[in-house]
Structure formats: C-alpha cells, structure tokens
Amino acid sequence: MSGANPSAPVVIVGAAMGGLRAAESLRRSGYTGAIRVVGEELHAPYNRPPLSKEVLATDVTHEAVAFPSRAEMGDVEWMLGVRASTVDLEARTLTTDDGQVQPWRALVIATGLRARRLDFRPIAGRHVVRSLDDAMALRAELTAGARVVVVGSGFLGCELSATASKLGCSVTVVTPSVEPMIRPLGSLVGQEMRRRLNVEGVEIFTGVTVAAINGGTSVESVELSDGRVVPADVVIESVGSDCNIEWLEGTGLDMGDGVLADNAMRAVTTEGVALDDVYVVGDIARFPNPMFDDVPRRIEHWNIPTDTGKRAGAVLAAHLADDGSFDDVVAKPFAPMPSFWSNQFEIKLQAYGLLGLVTDDDVRILEGDLADQVAVGYYRDDRLVGVLGIGMKAALLPYRKQIAEGGV
Ligand SMILES: Cc1cc2nc3c(=O)[nH]c(=O)nc-3n(C[C@H](O)[C@H](O)[C@H](O)COP(=O)(O)OP(=O)(O)OC[C@H]3O[C@@H](n4cnc5c(N)ncnc54)[C@H](O)[C@@H]3O)c2cc1C
C-alpha cells in the first residue's frame, strides 16, 4: 500500500458497540489524532441485548439503551445515517452513499451483521429484530392476544418468543432443528429448554420449515413444510444473520466468513498478509483465539466487540505512535473469554467458553439438576471448553477459570 496521510483521520466504519469500543481504546492508548466514525444507523451506539427483551416489553427509548458517552470521546466525529459503499485500500479512501470520498489514515471494520430474511414477498406483519428501529416496529404489533409465529429457535428466537408470550401473545415457534438452541447447547439442554418453554405456554414445532406466508396486505397464516397451517398476525423471522461485507468487495481481504483478522485484530488478505493499518472488530471479525486453538472463528457474543475493539485500538495506537512499541503490543497475549447470557421468562442462562466446539457425547452435568438449577460442562478431548449455567451464575466462576487455563 502507498504511504499513509498523517493528517487524515482514523476512519471506523460501523457506529455500534465494536466501533465505539475501538474508538475509546484508541484514545485510551494515547492516540490523539482525528477519529471519524461512519454509521448507517441514525442512532448513536446503543446496546442490542435489550432489543429482544425490555425494548419490546416496555416503552424503552434510544436514551435508555444508548452507551454512555465517555469524556475521552468528546472530539470524535460521528457521521451517522451514512453508509460506506466502497473502500480503496491502496488509495486509502472510503466512498459513502452520499457521494463523499474520504481519505483515511487507518481503517477499522466494525459493520457487524444484519438479520437474514425468509424469501417471501414483503407483507405487513413480517419482522426481524437486529436494530432499535426493528424492535420498535415489532413492539407496536405485540399486543395481547396477537398470534405470533417465530421462525427459528436460536437464542434470539427463543428470547423473542418468551417476551411476546409475556406480553399476552399466543406464540408458536417453527424450526427445522430437533430442539431449540441445539446449536450450541446440544440436545440434552435443548430438550430441557423445549420442556421449559412449553410449560410457559410456547408451542414449538420442530423439524419443519416455512413453505409460505399467507395473507393479502398483511400476514394471516404460516404454511409449514409438513402441510400444517398456523394462523398468525405477526411473523418474526429469526433465521440467522449475514455479515455486512459488501462494501469491502474487491479489497483482497479474506472474507470467507466475515473478515479474517490475526490475533492482533489486523485484517488479513487472501494472500495471508496482515495489514498494519486495517483492523476488524466485533461480530464480523473471524480471528484465532489461543484459549482454544489457532482456528479463526467469528463469535457473536456481547463481550467480543468490547474485547476486540480494545485490542484493535491498542495495536493501532501503537502502530500510529511509531515509537517502537508496536511489536511488543502485537505480541501481548490476547485470548478473550467468550461469554453470553440469555433471559427467557424467569430462566437465566449464562455461558462461558465455546460450547459449539463440542459434540453431544461430550456434554456433562457438573452440578445441580437439569430440571432446576444446573451447571453443564462442554468437553473437547477431555478438556473443558465451555460451561453453561441455568440459574447458576456464581457457581460457574471456577469453571470459567478452568476454561481460561486450558480446560484441565
Ligand atoms: C436483538 C439482539 C439481542 C442480543 N442479545 C444478546 C444477549 O442477550 N447476550 C449476548 O451475549 N449477546 C446478545 N446479542 C449479541 C450482541 O448484541 C452483538 O454481539 C453485538 O451487538 C455486536 O456488535 P458489533 O458492533 O460487532 O455489530 P453490530 O451491532 O451489528 O453493529 C454494526 C453496525 O454497523 C452498521 N453498518 C453495517 N454496514 C454498514 C455500512 N456499509 N456503512 C456504515 N455502517 C454500517 C450497522 O448499521 C450497525 O449499526 C444480541 C444481538 C441482538 C441483535
């Protein structure tokens, strides 16, 4: 690449948690130059987990979920409501959908994911939940008595089912899986979660897909692959997500699944070259975590945008400082502990590690009773690589430590 323009800003694309944490980390790591954050959404960065919970259930506004603005962020420039369309890594420019071509000194890729849609014609009553605007649009339709079909039984689908059910809706989950949340919880816990959701009144149809969404101007029913027809006023599609990588096409970055990064969160090209001035953070980043092995993976958990944003900011600040510290900062160990939680009715799930690395035979009950409070261990080659607690948060801490120390 050609030489950097030191007067150009560091440009962060994606104004959500990952982008915010990278900007904060740049400042905390001593970088005092210009930072510009370009984000497609009109809202300043906010917390997404409440979108499937409190935001649907109460009158929560952007203010209530917005991340606090820290003092060191005062001079960061925010370009909101603007979408990155292309980037030129040679010329070091970013083109946005308002026609501007912006120079950058270094680039941080933080564009995350978008909700995948079912391939049916648009019709009122169909929803996804990824953004605050999505959640607010859905909230208006989750009135007591509404018939809701949730397509997909991952964490998000199950959380949305629980929230809709608590609001008085009658909820049916439709899923091709054998059990809800089977990936990554496994069939033992998946089966138990199905039982618990059933007890709360959520109906779950497993092993089926959606054949059609019927209705005139709005949803009337959902036709399943086995011929059943489920009456519906609202369909919530929770069928996975896609990485927002289109603006990076033609850059030569490795975009096999998200964007490949090395352990310093530097973007890596298809030729295996890590770029010192292009970084990747958050849900879109596929990076190796030596806590488990050297296989790069994307991890869609809340702590990852924070941990990778901090790491990218620190490495990039050292690169820009050009004071000889770069190699030492890159060599610092970086092995973030994946962690997620999910609240469904009164069921509180908390997990550490990578549960999805494990096959069903390596899932063991560590403490408690599956039908009540329980800690479940996920083993690979006899090493603990993940732990899940249902209503057992504090008891997980020794297992968390064990995973961090190599699982033995
Ligand atoms: C509804 C919901 C509930 C969740 N609940 C939990 C939970 O309970 N527990 C848990 O551990 N995790 C949860 N998560 C996951 C967690 O919130 C995510 O891991 C985290 O939000 C990812 O942050 P990010 O900054 O990497 O990406 P994102 O939050 O996806 O942000 C990317 C941003 O980039 C913007 N963007 C995309 N393309 C462009 C472009 N071309 N130009 C400019 N901007 C662009 C997007 O509009 C978006 O604002 C939940 C996620 C969702 C959606």
Side-chain angles (χ1 to χ4, degrees), residues 152-185:
S153 65
F155 284 106
L156 189 55
C158 290
E159 280 185 2
L160 290 164
S161 309
T163 306
S165 180
K166 278 162 74 177
L167 289 169
C169 305
S170 81
V171 180
T172 307
V173 175
V174 170
T175 176
S177 298
V178 184
E179 301 294 352
M181 295 169 278
I182 194 159
R183 197 185 53 89
L185 298 187

PDB file of all heavy atoms in Angstrom, residues 152-185:
ATOM      1  N   GLY A 152     -37.480 -19.932  13.673  1.00  0.00           N
ATOM      2  CA  GLY A 152     -36.102 -20.050  14.162  1.00  0.00           C
ATOM      3  C   GLY A 152     -36.097 -20.214  15.668  1.00  0.00           C
ATOM      4  O   GLY A 152     -36.885 -19.576  16.377  1.00  0.00           O
ATOM      5  N   SER A 153     -35.225 -21.101  16.158  1.00  0.00           N
ATOM      6  CA  SER A 153     -35.224 -21.396  17.594  1.00  0.00           C
ATOM      7  C   SER A 153     -33.828 -21.253  18.194  1.00  0.00           C
ATOM      8  O   SER A 153     -33.447 -21.990  19.090  1.00  0.00           O
ATOM      9  CB  SER A 153     -35.753 -22.807  17.834  1.00  0.00           C
ATOM     10  OG  SER A 153     -34.861 -23.746  17.254  1.00  0.00           O
ATOM     11  N   GLY A 154     -33.069 -20.282  17.670  1.00  0.00           N
ATOM     12  CA  GLY A 154     -31.804 -19.948  18.317  1.00  0.00           C
ATOM     13  C   GLY A 154     -32.094 -19.130  19.580  1.00  0.00           C
ATOM     14  O   GLY A 154     -33.254 -18.965  19.975  1.00  0.00           O
ATOM     15  N   PHE A 155     -31.032 -18.588  20.190  1.00  0.00           N
ATOM     16  CA  PHE A 155     -31.239 -17.780  21.403  1.00  0.00           C
ATOM     17  C   PHE A 155     -32.208 -16.645  21.146  1.00  0.00           C
ATOM     18  O   PHE A 155     -33.124 -16.401  21.930  1.00  0.00           O
ATOM     19  CB  PHE A 155     -29.914 -17.192  21.876  1.00  0.00           C
ATOM     20  CG  PHE A 155     -29.065 -18.191  22.548  1.00  0.00           C
ATOM     21  CD1 PHE A 155     -27.957 -18.714  21.913  1.00  0.00           C
ATOM     22  CD2 PHE A 155     -29.383 -18.642  23.814  1.00  0.00           C
ATOM     23  CE1 PHE A 155     -27.177 -19.676  22.518  1.00  0.00           C
ATOM     24  CE2 PHE A 155     -28.615 -19.598  24.428  1.00  0.00           C
ATOM     25  CZ  PHE A 155     -27.510 -20.115  23.777  1.00  0.00           C
ATOM     26  N   LEU A 156     -31.981 -15.947  20.036  1.00  0.00           N
ATOM     27  CA  LEU A 156     -32.801 -14.776  19.762  1.00  0.00           C
ATOM     28  C   LEU A 156     -34.257 -15.171  19.557  1.00  0.00           C
ATOM     29  O   LEU A 156     -35.163 -14.565  20.137  1.00  0.00           O
ATOM     30  CB  LEU A 156     -32.229 -14.061  18.524  1.00  0.00           C
ATOM     31  CG  LEU A 156     -32.823 -12.703  18.208  1.00  0.00           C
ATOM     32  CD1 LEU A 156     -32.728 -11.771  19.398  1.00  0.00           C
ATOM     33  CD2 LEU A 156     -32.109 -12.093  17.006  1.00  0.00           C
ATOM     34  N   GLY A 157     -34.492 -16.218  18.762  1.00  0.00           N
ATOM     35  CA  GLY A 157     -35.855 -16.665  18.520  1.00  0.00           C
ATOM     36  C   GLY A 157     -36.546 -17.048  19.825  1.00  0.00           C
ATOM     37  O   GLY A 157     -37.710 -16.701  20.062  1.00  0.00           O
ATOM     38  N   CYS A 158     -35.825 -17.742  20.697  1.00  0.00           N
ATOM     39  CA  CYS A 158     -36.427 -18.172  21.971  1.00  0.00           C
ATOM     40  C   CYS A 158     -36.670 -16.972  22.891  1.00  0.00           C
ATOM     41  O   CYS A 158     -37.699 -16.911  23.568  1.00  0.00           O
ATOM     42  CB  CYS A 158     -35.537 -19.218  22.639  1.00  0.00           C
ATOM     43  SG  CYS A 158     -35.560 -20.775  21.717  1.00  0.00           S
ATOM     44  N   GLU A 159     -35.741 -16.026  22.901  1.00  0.00           N
ATOM     45  CA  GLU A 159     -35.972 -14.821  23.722  1.00  0.00           C
ATOM     46  C   GLU A 159     -37.183 -14.043  23.224  1.00  0.00           C
ATOM     47  O   GLU A 159     -38.008 -13.570  24.008  1.00  0.00           O
ATOM     48  CB  GLU A 159     -34.749 -13.899  23.647  1.00  0.00           C
ATOM     49  CG  GLU A 159     -33.632 -14.333  24.557  1.00  0.00           C
ATOM     50  CD  GLU A 159     -32.483 -13.346  24.558  1.00  0.00           C
ATOM     51  OE1 GLU A 159     -32.552 -12.296  23.882  1.00  0.00           O
ATOM     52  OE2 GLU A 159     -31.495 -13.652  25.245  1.00  0.00           O
ATOM     53  N   LEU A 160     -37.280 -13.908  21.903  1.00  0.00           N
ATOM     54  CA  LEU A 160     -38.412 -13.159  21.334  1.00  0.00           C
ATOM     55  C   LEU A 160     -39.725 -13.874  21.647  1.00  0.00           C
ATOM     56  O   LEU A 160     -40.735 -13.232  21.940  1.00  0.00           O
ATOM     57  CB  LEU A 160     -38.213 -13.015  19.820  1.00  0.00           C
ATOM     58  CG  LEU A 160     -37.067 -12.067  19.419  1.00  0.00           C
ATOM     59  CD1 LEU A 160     -36.682 -12.267  17.959  1.00  0.00           C
ATOM     60  CD2 LEU A 160     -37.447 -10.613  19.675  1.00  0.00           C
ATOM     61  N   SER A 161     -39.699 -15.197  21.615  1.00  0.00           N
ATOM     62  CA  SER A 161     -40.905 -15.968  21.944  1.00  0.00           C
ATOM     63  C   SER A 161     -41.320 -15.716  23.384  1.00  0.00           C
ATOM     64  O   SER A 161     -42.502 -15.513  23.687  1.00  0.00           O
ATOM     65  CB  SER A 161     -40.644 -17.469  21.806  1.00  0.00           C
ATOM     66  OG  SER A 161     -40.076 -17.738  20.585  1.00  0.00           O
ATOM     67  N   ALA A 162     -40.333 -15.743  24.274  1.00  0.00           N
ATOM     68  CA  ALA A 162     -40.637 -15.528  25.698  1.00  0.00           C
ATOM     69  C   ALA A 162     -41.198 -14.127  25.920  1.00  0.00           C
ATOM     70  O   ALA A 162     -42.211 -13.959  26.622  1.00  0.00           O
ATOM     71  CB  ALA A 162     -39.365 -15.734  26.528  1.00  0.00           C
ATOM     72  N   THR A 163     -40.575 -13.132  25.302  1.00  0.00           N
ATOM     73  CA  THR A 163     -41.048 -11.756  25.507  1.00  0.00           C
ATOM     74  C   THR A 163     -42.467 -11.596  24.958  1.00  0.00           C
ATOM     75  O   THR A 163     -43.344 -11.032  25.620  1.00  0.00           O
ATOM     76  CB  THR A 163     -40.086 -10.759  24.824  1.00  0.00           C
ATOM     77  OG1 THR A 163     -38.769 -11.007  25.294  1.00  0.00           O
ATOM     78  CG2 THR A 163     -40.462  -9.319  25.129  1.00  0.00           C
ATOM     79  N   ALA A 164     -42.707 -12.121  23.751  1.00  0.00           N
ATOM     80  CA  ALA A 164     -44.045 -11.983  23.152  1.00  0.00           C
ATOM     81  C   ALA A 164     -45.085 -12.702  24.014  1.00  0.00           C
ATOM     82  O   ALA A 164     -46.184 -12.203  24.238  1.00  0.00           O
ATOM     83  CB  ALA A 164     -44.029 -12.554  21.733  1.00  0.00           C
ATOM     84  N   SER A 165     -44.703 -13.863  24.532  1.00  0.00           N
ATOM     85  CA  SER A 165     -45.624 -14.631  25.353  1.00  0.00           C
ATOM     86  C   SER A 165     -45.952 -13.862  26.642  1.00  0.00           C
ATOM     87  O   SER A 165     -47.118 -13.805  27.066  1.00  0.00           O
ATOM     88  CB  SER A 165     -44.971 -15.979  25.637  1.00  0.00           C
ATOM     89  OG  SER A 165     -45.797 -16.759  26.408  1.00  0.00           O
ATOM     90  N   LYS A 166     -44.935 -13.261  27.239  1.00  0.00           N
ATOM     91  CA  LYS A 166     -45.168 -12.488  28.472  1.00  0.00           C
ATOM     92  C   LYS A 166     -46.076 -11.280  28.205  1.00  0.00           C
ATOM     93  O   LYS A 166     -46.739 -10.782  29.101  1.00  0.00           O
ATOM     94  CB  LYS A 166     -43.833 -12.019  29.056  1.00  0.00           C
ATOM     95  CG  LYS A 166     -43.152 -13.130  29.877  1.00  0.00           C
ATOM     96  CD  LYS A 166     -41.696 -12.883  30.108  1.00  0.00           C
ATOM     97  CE  LYS A 166     -41.386 -11.820  31.122  1.00  0.00           C
ATOM     98  NZ  LYS A 166     -39.918 -11.694  31.330  1.00  0.00           N
ATOM     99  N   LEU A 167     -46.084 -10.812  26.959  1.00  0.00           N
ATOM    100  CA  LEU A 167     -46.948  -9.680  26.612  1.00  0.00           C
ATOM    101  C   LEU A 167     -48.378 -10.117  26.312  1.00  0.00           C
ATOM    102  O   LEU A 167     -49.216  -9.315  25.926  1.00  0.00           O
ATOM    103  CB  LEU A 167     -46.371  -8.942  25.394  1.00  0.00           C
ATOM    104  CG  LEU A 167     -45.092  -8.142  25.668  1.00  0.00           C
ATOM    105  CD1 LEU A 167     -44.461  -7.670  24.361  1.00  0.00           C
ATOM    106  CD2 LEU A 167     -45.390  -6.958  26.576  1.00  0.00           C
ATOM    107  N   GLY A 168     -48.630 -11.428  26.434  1.00  0.00           N
ATOM    108  CA  GLY A 168     -50.002 -11.917  26.244  1.00  0.00           C
ATOM    109  C   GLY A 168     -50.278 -12.431  24.841  1.00  0.00           C
ATOM    110  O   GLY A 168     -51.430 -12.712  24.496  1.00  0.00           O
ATOM    111  N   CYS A 169     -49.242 -12.526  24.023  1.00  0.00           N
ATOM    112  CA  CYS A 169     -49.435 -13.056  22.662  1.00  0.00           C
ATOM    113  C   CYS A 169     -49.479 -14.583  22.735  1.00  0.00           C
ATOM    114  O   CYS A 169     -48.921 -15.179  23.660  1.00  0.00           O
ATOM    115  CB  CYS A 169     -48.274 -12.649  21.744  1.00  0.00           C
ATOM    116  SG  CYS A 169     -47.985 -10.871  21.682  1.00  0.00           S
ATOM    117  N   SER A 170     -50.121 -15.209  21.764  1.00  0.00           N
ATOM    118  CA  SER A 170     -50.014 -16.678  21.700  1.00  0.00           C
ATOM    119  C   SER A 170     -48.904 -16.988  20.695  1.00  0.00           C
ATOM    120  O   SER A 170     -48.911 -16.496  19.554  1.00  0.00           O
ATOM    121  CB  SER A 170     -51.347 -17.310  21.336  1.00  0.00           C
ATOM    122  OG  SER A 170     -51.556 -17.257  19.974  1.00  0.00           O
ATOM    123  N   VAL A 171     -47.912 -17.772  21.156  1.00  0.00           N
ATOM    124  CA  VAL A 171     -46.665 -17.882  20.401  1.00  0.00           C
ATOM    125  C   VAL A 171     -46.416 -19.316  19.934  1.00  0.00           C
ATOM    126  O   VAL A 171     -46.479 -20.260  20.727  1.00  0.00           O
ATOM    127  CB  VAL A 171     -45.471 -17.412  21.268  1.00  0.00           C
ATOM    128  CG1 VAL A 171     -44.162 -17.521  20.481  1.00  0.00           C
ATOM    129  CG2 VAL A 171     -45.680 -15.985  21.752  1.00  0.00           C
ATOM    130  N   THR A 172     -46.096 -19.443  18.650  1.00  0.00           N
ATOM    131  CA  THR A 172     -45.666 -20.731  18.094  1.00  0.00           C
ATOM    132  C   THR A 172     -44.276 -20.538  17.491  1.00  0.00           C
ATOM    133  O   THR A 172     -44.065 -19.611  16.708  1.00  0.00           O
ATOM    134  CB  THR A 172     -46.624 -21.180  16.968  1.00  0.00           C
ATOM    135  OG1 THR A 172     -47.948 -21.160  17.475  1.00  0.00           O
ATOM    136  CG2 THR A 172     -46.278 -22.574  16.482  1.00  0.00           C
ATOM    137  N   VAL A 173     -43.369 -21.427  17.873  1.00  0.00           N
ATOM    138  CA  VAL A 173     -42.033 -21.411  17.279  1.00  0.00           C
ATOM    139  C   VAL A 173     -41.988 -22.489  16.204  1.00  0.00           C
ATOM    140  O   VAL A 173     -42.435 -23.607  16.430  1.00  0.00           O
ATOM    141  CB  VAL A 173     -40.946 -21.684  18.346  1.00  0.00           C
ATOM    142  CG1 VAL A 173     -39.559 -21.785  17.700  1.00  0.00           C
ATOM    143  CG2 VAL A 173     -40.950 -20.606  19.417  1.00  0.00           C
ATOM    144  N   VAL A 174     -41.426 -22.133  15.072  1.00  0.00           N
ATOM    145  CA  VAL A 174     -41.302 -23.074  13.956  1.00  0.00           C
ATOM    146  C   VAL A 174     -39.820 -23.205  13.640  1.00  0.00           C
ATOM    147  O   VAL A 174     -39.145 -22.200  13.411  1.00  0.00           O
ATOM    148  CB  VAL A 174     -42.051 -22.494  12.732  1.00  0.00           C
ATOM    149  CG1 VAL A 174     -41.738 -23.299  11.500  1.00  0.00           C
ATOM    150  CG2 VAL A 174     -43.532 -22.436  12.995  1.00  0.00           C
ATOM    151  N   THR A 175     -39.307 -24.435  13.664  1.00  0.00           N
ATOM    152  CA  THR A 175     -37.866 -24.586  13.483  1.00  0.00           C
ATOM    153  C   THR A 175     -37.515 -25.886  12.762  1.00  0.00           C
ATOM    154  O   THR A 175     -38.141 -26.915  13.027  1.00  0.00           O
ATOM    155  CB  THR A 175     -37.139 -24.545  14.860  1.00  0.00           C
ATOM    156  OG1 THR A 175     -35.746 -24.799  14.646  1.00  0.00           O
ATOM    157  CG2 THR A 175     -37.668 -25.565  15.843  1.00  0.00           C
ATOM    158  N   PRO A 176     -36.520 -25.855  11.885  1.00  0.00           N
ATOM    159  CA  PRO A 176     -36.070 -27.103  11.262  1.00  0.00           C
ATOM    160  C   PRO A 176     -35.262 -27.961  12.228  1.00  0.00           C
ATOM    161  O   PRO A 176     -35.033 -29.149  11.976  1.00  0.00           O
ATOM    162  CB  PRO A 176     -35.177 -26.627  10.099  1.00  0.00           C
ATOM    163  CG  PRO A 176     -34.801 -25.229  10.432  1.00  0.00           C
ATOM    164  CD  PRO A 176     -35.834 -24.671  11.361  1.00  0.00           C
ATOM    165  N   SER A 177     -34.833 -27.385  13.362  1.00  0.00           N
ATOM    166  CA  SER A 177     -33.990 -28.119  14.314  1.00  0.00           C
ATOM    167  C   SER A 177     -34.786 -29.177  15.064  1.00  0.00           C
ATOM    168  O   SER A 177     -36.007 -29.137  15.108  1.00  0.00           O
ATOM    169  CB  SER A 177     -33.399 -27.165  15.350  1.00  0.00           C
ATOM    170  OG  SER A 177     -32.588 -26.240  14.723  1.00  0.00           O
ATOM    171  N   VAL A 178     -34.031 -30.063  15.719  1.00  0.00           N
ATOM    172  CA  VAL A 178     -34.651 -31.118  16.529  1.00  0.00           C
ATOM    173  C   VAL A 178     -35.073 -30.553  17.886  1.00  0.00           C
ATOM    174  O   VAL A 178     -36.084 -30.956  18.468  1.00  0.00           O
ATOM    175  CB  VAL A 178     -33.635 -32.268  16.742  1.00  0.00           C
ATOM    176  CG1 VAL A 178     -34.260 -33.414  17.499  1.00  0.00           C
ATOM    177  CG2 VAL A 178     -33.087 -32.743  15.413  1.00  0.00           C
ATOM    178  N   GLU A 179     -34.288 -29.633  18.403  1.00  0.00           N
ATOM    179  CA  GLU A 179     -34.588 -28.988  19.690  1.00  0.00           C
ATOM    180  C   GLU A 179     -34.244 -27.506  19.573  1.00  0.00           C
ATOM    181  O   GLU A 179     -33.376 -27.145  18.771  1.00  0.00           O
ATOM    182  CB  GLU A 179     -33.706 -29.578  20.819  1.00  0.00           C
ATOM    183  CG  GLU A 179     -33.837 -31.068  21.045  1.00  0.00           C
ATOM    184  CD  GLU A 179     -35.206 -31.498  21.548  1.00  0.00           C
ATOM    185  OE1 GLU A 179     -36.028 -30.616  21.873  1.00  0.00           O
ATOM    186  OE2 GLU A 179     -35.459 -32.716  21.598  1.00  0.00           O
ATOM    187  N   PRO A 180     -34.852 -26.662  20.402  1.00  0.00           N
ATOM    188  CA  PRO A 180     -34.451 -25.257  20.385  1.00  0.00           C
ATOM    189  C   PRO A 180     -33.018 -25.084  20.889  1.00  0.00           C
ATOM    190  O   PRO A 180     -32.563 -25.848  21.744  1.00  0.00           O
ATOM    191  CB  PRO A 180     -35.455 -24.584  21.340  1.00  0.00           C
ATOM    192  CG  PRO A 180     -36.034 -25.677  22.152  1.00  0.00           C
ATOM    193  CD  PRO A 180     -35.951 -26.931  21.330  1.00  0.00           C
ATOM    194  N   MET A 181     -32.335 -24.116  20.345  1.00  0.00           N
ATOM    195  CA  MET A 181     -30.973 -23.737  20.777  1.00  0.00           C
ATOM    196  C   MET A 181     -30.000 -24.917  20.741  1.00  0.00           C
ATOM    197  O   MET A 181     -29.029 -24.945  21.506  1.00  0.00           O
ATOM    198  CB  MET A 181     -30.991 -23.111  22.179  1.00  0.00           C
ATOM    199  CG  MET A 181     -31.737 -21.803  22.210  1.00  0.00           C
ATOM    200  SD  MET A 181     -32.046 -21.198  23.870  1.00  0.00           S
ATOM    201  CE  MET A 181     -33.491 -22.115  24.329  1.00  0.00           C
ATOM    202  N   ILE A 182     -30.294 -25.905  19.886  1.00  0.00           N
ATOM    203  CA  ILE A 182     -29.456 -27.116  19.882  1.00  0.00           C
ATOM    204  C   ILE A 182     -28.013 -26.783  19.526  1.00  0.00           C
ATOM    205  O   ILE A 182     -27.080 -27.435  19.988  1.00  0.00           O
ATOM    206  CB  ILE A 182     -30.050 -28.178  18.936  1.00  0.00           C
ATOM    207  CG1 ILE A 182     -29.405 -29.539  19.192  1.00  0.00           C
ATOM    208  CG2 ILE A 182     -29.944 -27.778  17.482  1.00  0.00           C
ATOM    209  CD1 ILE A 182     -30.222 -30.709  18.715  1.00  0.00           C
ATOM    210  N   ARG A 183     -27.844 -25.749  18.699  1.00  0.00           N
ATOM    211  CA  ARG A 183     -26.501 -25.280  18.421  1.00  0.00           C
ATOM    212  C   ARG A 183     -26.392 -23.927  19.117  1.00  0.00           C
ATOM    213  O   ARG A 183     -27.122 -23.018  18.740  1.00  0.00           O
ATOM    214  CB  ARG A 183     -26.310 -25.091  16.913  1.00  0.00           C
ATOM    215  CG  ARG A 183     -24.872 -24.989  16.463  1.00  0.00           C
ATOM    216  CD  ARG A 183     -24.817 -24.691  14.974  1.00  0.00           C
ATOM    217  NE  ARG A 183     -25.610 -23.532  14.605  1.00  0.00           N
ATOM    218  CZ  ARG A 183     -25.130 -22.295  14.595  1.00  0.00           C
ATOM    219  NH1 ARG A 183     -23.905 -22.042  14.917  1.00  0.00           N
ATOM    220  NH2 ARG A 183     -25.903 -21.278  14.234  1.00  0.00           N
ATOM    221  N   PRO A 184     -25.669 -23.743  20.146  1.00  0.00           N
ATOM    222  CA  PRO A 184     -24.572 -24.568  20.624  1.00  0.00           C
ATOM    223  C   PRO A 184     -24.869 -25.375  21.894  1.00  0.00           C
ATOM    224  O   PRO A 184     -23.952 -26.001  22.414  1.00  0.00           O
ATOM    225  CB  PRO A 184     -23.522 -23.516  20.965  1.00  0.00           C
ATOM    226  CG  PRO A 184     -24.336 -22.381  21.510  1.00  0.00           C
ATOM    227  CD  PRO A 184     -25.657 -22.422  20.769  1.00  0.00           C
ATOM    228  N   LEU A 185     -26.100 -25.402  22.403  1.00  0.00           N
ATOM    229  CA  LEU A 185     -26.302 -26.012  23.727  1.00  0.00           C
ATOM    230  C   LEU A 185     -26.266 -27.538  23.715  1.00  0.00           C
ATOM    231  O   LEU A 185     -26.065 -28.161  24.748  1.00  0.00           O
ATOM    232  CB  LEU A 185     -27.630 -25.545  24.328  1.00  0.00           C
ATOM    233  CG  LEU A 185     -27.768 -24.042  24.587  1.00  0.00           C
ATOM    234  CD1 LEU A 185     -29.049 -23.749  25.335  1.00  0.00           C
ATOM    235  CD2 LEU A 185     -26.572 -23.507  25.354  1.00  0.00           C
TER     236      LEU A 185
END
